[in-house]
């Protein structure tokens, strides 16, 4: 029993540190759950929760696979809700870079007073009729110096079982915590039950969603949504939003990046990190099956990297997560064979289609089934005009399932980083790959990332949006300060890793993709790693270092790609791009922008004009002497 009269059916409360108990009790008194369950992280507990959810109809067992389940969300709760995601700091300028032309694109700010008012209007009694689950979790290996401990309170059993996949959950976390402070996360689906009332299969409260972060007190408050990025509080909320703010204070970086090891034919192994917006292929690149002989790629993480400069000035990366929360549509044995080898065991799928034999299907998985049950639970036929799976349907799978998991995935010191990649979906103008001229130029490239909107958030259509560092939805503090922080990290590194921009999504005149992508992306990584080792010439262009026309190994490709079109840097496009970046910097970042970024933009302008003389034809490819 906790004082206050709630039954605890997990572990004995006397094993729980007293500051944790006080915090639990504080929220229990506000939320008024029926009972409290402190998670111990055991298999028995996991099975008990899943069995309960199957009985309630919240999870559907997938009999074709081993320990796999399907959850269908409310159609109004299928993605992150960026417009309702806020950061609360005393001063607005600590969240958002400009105060006058505030658009909210780089962080929605709310005052602590207004947030308190919202909490007071939303949370009292919000867990009536429900169990309050208390989830102690570690982001990063339990006990590592680089890890962070959080505790999430939630009234969703679905969130509890997914947190057990995505983070390290259980008793051992509380043992390590002792009486130290922890990140406090409170989540409610916001759908209290009256006595005798039955719960919706996917309870949520879409009109009242609030995802709030208080970096000054390490607190997260999430209301109204059960969708992964909104409710699994260790992921975007702790590891990126609060994480980036903690990292700034402590001298490291929390980034929206995959981490992979690339073993080359000579046996040498290098680790890379890469930032792409959600739904742009991070999971596919992280565990790519190389199409060049002699290469092997192993995965450390597919979404989040915590990057620390070590005492020797080497940048090192850890993956704070314990699972993959990957996009299902498009995943198949060709695009991502290792994901396919990982996800049919111990996985919780959301919003995919259910096949008659108790399996799953999604668009781009393979041949259409004749019929199935779609993500809304409705009968679906191969001739149906609506998708069977939601475009943002997901698999939630433990990392250990992956056959190409890197042996150092849990190394408490992290892996050394040899190259950093940025990228987005750019149908035109942006080359397949180019290299920054310096760390500062690389930071500028990250700041200027743009990408087509995807299904990961609430945006509609194919608009091209700024997504600096692929972190736009995840910045925990002022973006101008974030850029200054990146610049200062470069100074701490003895040999800063080279920075590259990649674009798998360039299209030709006929609208088709110019590059095959997936396993053939190893050809691009090979160029980058050889460049990092100083082993290749490149041509200096307005954007930086671009491969020479024969720089990439394209032998063995079924169709020979149009390398000229893939590597072209059309002058008119880049003039417009640079002018648009200037406008964006001015209106969205204003005085917060470090002067170094203006300097880099001026240099880009200059290079565009210098090289424009040669670009007589907009799309023509030329190889130049490298720029110095
Ligand atoms: O935010 S989620 O983790 O649900 C997915 C994503 O946007 O990366
Ligand atoms: Mn992500």
């Amino acid at each position: 029993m906790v004082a206050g009269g709630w039954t605890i059916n997990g572990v004995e409360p006397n094993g729980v540190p007293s500051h944790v108990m006080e915090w639990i009790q504080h929220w229990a008194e506000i939320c008024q759950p029926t009972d409290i369950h402190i998670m111990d992280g055991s298999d028995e507990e996991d099975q008990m929760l899943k069995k309960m959810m199957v009985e309630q109809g919240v999870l559907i067992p997938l009999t074709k696979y081993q320990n796999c389940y399907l959850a269908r969300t409310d159609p109004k709760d299928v993605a992150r809700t960026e417009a309702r995601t806020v950061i609360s700091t005393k001063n607005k300028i600590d969240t958002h870079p400009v105060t006058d032309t505030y658009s909210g694109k780089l962080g929605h700010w709310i005052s602590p007073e207004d947030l308190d008012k919202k909490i007071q209007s939303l949370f009292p009694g919000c867990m009536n009729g429900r169990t309050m689950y208390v989830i102690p979790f570690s982001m990063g290996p339990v006990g590592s110096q680089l890890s962070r401990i959080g505790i999430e309170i939630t009234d969703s059993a679905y969130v509890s079982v997914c947190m057990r996949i995505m983070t390290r959950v259980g008793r051992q976390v509380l043992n390590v915590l002792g009486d130290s402070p922890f990140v406090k996360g409170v989540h409610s689906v916001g759908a209290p039950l009256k006595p005798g009332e039955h719960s919706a299969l996917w309870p949520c409260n879409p009109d009242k969603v609030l995802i709030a972060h208080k970096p000054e007190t390490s607190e997260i408050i999430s209301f109204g949504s059960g969708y992964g990025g909104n409710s699994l509080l260790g992921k975007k909320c702790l590891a990126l939003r609060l994480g980036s703010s903690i990292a700034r204070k402590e001298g490291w970086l929390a980034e929206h990046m995959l981490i992979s090891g690339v073993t080359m034919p000579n046996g040498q192994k290098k680790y890379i990190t890469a930032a792409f917006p959600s739904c742009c292929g991070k999971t596919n690149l992280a565990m790519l099956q190389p199409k060049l002989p002699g290469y092997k790629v192993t995965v450390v993480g597919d979404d989040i990297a915590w990057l620390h400069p070590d005492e020797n000035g080497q940048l090192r990366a850890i993956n704070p997560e314990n699972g993959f929360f990957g996009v299902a549509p498009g995943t198949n044995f060709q695009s991502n064979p290792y994901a396919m080898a990982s996800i049919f065991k111990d996985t919780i799928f959301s919003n995919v289609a259910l096949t008659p034999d108790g399996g799953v299907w999604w668009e781009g998985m393979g041949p259409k089934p004749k019929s199935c049950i779609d993500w809304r639970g409705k009968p679906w036929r191969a001739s149906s005009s609506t998708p069977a799976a939601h475009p943002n349907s997901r698999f939630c799978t433990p990392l250990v399932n992956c056959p190409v998991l890197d042996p150092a995935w849990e190394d408490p010191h992290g892996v050394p980083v040899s190259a950093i990649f940025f990228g987005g979906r750019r149908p035109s103008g942006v080359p397949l790959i180019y290299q920054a001229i310096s760390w500062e130029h690389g930071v500028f490239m990250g700041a200027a990332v743009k990408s087509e909107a995807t299904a990961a958030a609430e945006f509609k259509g194919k608009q091209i949006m700024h997504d600096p560092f692929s972190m736009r939805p995840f910045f925990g503090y002022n973006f101008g300060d974030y850029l200054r922080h990146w610049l200062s990290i470069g100074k701490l590194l003895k040999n800063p890793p080279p920075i590259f921009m990649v674009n798998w999504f360039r299209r030709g005149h006929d609208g088709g993709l110019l590059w095959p992508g997936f396993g053939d992306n190893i050809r691009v990584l090979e160029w980058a790693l050889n460049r990092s080792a100083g082993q290749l010439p490149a041509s200096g262009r307005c954007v930086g270092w671009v491969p020479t026309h024969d720089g990439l190994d394209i032998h063995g490709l079924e169709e020979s790609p149009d390398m000229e079109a893939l590597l072209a840097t059309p002058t008119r496009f880049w003039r417009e791009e640079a002018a648009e970046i200037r406008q964006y910097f001015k209106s969205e970042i204003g005085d917060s922008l470090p002067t170094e970024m203006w300097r880099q933009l001026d240099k880009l302008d200059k290079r565009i004009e210098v090289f424009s003389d040669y670009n007589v034809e907009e799309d023509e490819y030329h190889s130049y002497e490298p720029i110095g």
Side-chain angles (χ1 to χ4, degrees), residues 50 52-60 69-73 156-158 199-203 349:
K50 285 172 175 165
M52 179 190 82
M53 283 188 278
V54 169
E55 281 162 13
Q56 293 168 344
V58 175
L59 288 186
I60 299 166
Y69 298 85
L70 164 64
R72 295 193 189 115
T73 75
S156 162
Y158 165 83
S199 175
L201 288 183
W202 185 268
F349 295 90

Side-chain angles (χ1 to χ4, degrees), residues 142-373:
V142 179
S144 159
Q145 289 285 317
L146 304 184
S147 300
R148 293 289 139 159
I149 287 179
I151 304 183
E152 174 166 353
I153 284 173
T154 177
D155 53 10
S156 162
Y158 165 83
V159 165
S160 308
V161 293
C162 289
M163 279 294 283
R164 184 174 178 270
I165 295 173
M166 295 307 297
T167 74
R168 287 120 169 136
V169 166
R171 198 55 191 264
Q172 71 281 19
V173 176
L174 289 179
N175 294 342
V176 170
L177 177 67
D179 56 8
S180 310
F182 58 96
V183 175
K184 299 176 171 126
V186 179
H187 168 256
S188 170
V189 292
L193 292 169
K194 297 197 186 80
E197 196 181 18
H198 284 291
S199 175
L201 288 183
W202 185 268
C204 59
N205 195 340
D207 296 335
K208 294 206 173 151
V209 168
L210 172 73
I211 319 293
H213 307 71
K214 298 208 235 177
E216 285 150 1
T217 53
S218 288
E219 286 175 274
I220 305 159
I221 307 286
S222 169
F223 188 90
S225 166
Y227 170 74
N230 291 336
S231 67
L232 308 177
L233 301 186
K235 194 171 178 54
K236 307 298 187 182
C237 301
L238 192 164
L240 287 179
R241 298 197 190 95
L242 291 189
S244 61
S245 163
I246 297 167
R248 180 198 176 200
K249 284 179 214 133
E250 297 182 356
W252 49 281
L253 300 164
E255 297 298 325
H256 192 203
M257 289 178 171
L258 65 88
I259 311 166
S260 288
V262 183
T263 305
M264 291 174 284
N266 65 7
Q268 244 197 338
K269 183 170 185 180
K270 305 256 187 206
Y271 288 95
I272 62 165
T273 67
F276 304 109
S278 307
C279 286
C280 286
K282 276 201 299 298
T283 308
N284 292 341
L285 184 64
M287 50 179 95
L288 139 166
Q289 188 177 48
K291 290 264 182 79
L292 281 180
Y295 278 90
K296 183 168 172 135
V297 171
T298 43
V299 54
V300 177
D302 77 330
D303 197 40
I304 298 174
W306 284 355
L307 302 166
H308 293 253
D310 73 9
E311 60 283 4
N312 301 317
Q314 166 70 52
L315 193 63
R316 306 189 77 87
I318 70 162
N319 172 15
E321 300 196 275
N322 191 54
F324 302 113
F325 191 67
V327 183
T331 307
N332 60 50
F333 283 103
Q334 214 257 323
S335 66
N336 196 338
Y338 296 127
M340 294 297 276
S342 310
I343 59 181
F344 299 119
K345 200 174 91 175
D346 308 326
T347 293
I348 297 179
F349 295 90
S350 52
N351 288 343
V352 299
L354 175 65
T355 56
D357 59 349
V360 294
W361 190 79
W362 47 76
E363 277 64 28
M365 180 177 173
K368 280 185 184 182
K370 272 205 204 89
S371 67
C372 63
I373 306 291

Side-chain angles (χ1 to χ4, degrees), residues 481-546:
D481 291 336
Y482 170 94
L483 290 170
R484 248 179 294 281
H485 185 50
W486 259 82
L487 291 169
S488 73
I489 291 285
K491 299 211 165 56
L492 297 177
L493 301 175
K494 213 191 223 156
N495 292 309
I499 297 176
F500 299 87
M501 177 73 76
V502 291
N503 176 26
W504 321 130
F505 300 95
R506 196 164 187 174
R507 290 177 186 274
H509 294 303
D510 61 356
L513 288 170
L514 289 168
W515 181 248
F518 303 113
D520 286 310
N521 288 339
I522 191 67
R523 300 167 192 274
V524 178
L525 298 185
E526 175 183 62
W527 183 84
L529 290 174
N530 286 338
R531 280 291 297 169
S532 313
Q535 286 167 3
L536 266 184
S539 73
R541 309 275 283 278
C542 62
V543 292
W545 298 101
V546 178

Side-chain angles (χ1 to χ4, degrees), residues 40-59:
D40 63 14
S42 64
D43 285 340
E44 295 72 33
E45 177 186 65
D46 187 54
Q47 287 306 311
M48 182 273 288
L49 291 174
K50 285 172 175 165
K51 187 164 170 276
M52 179 190 82
M53 283 188 278
V54 169
E55 281 162 13
Q56 293 168 344
V58 175
L59 288 186

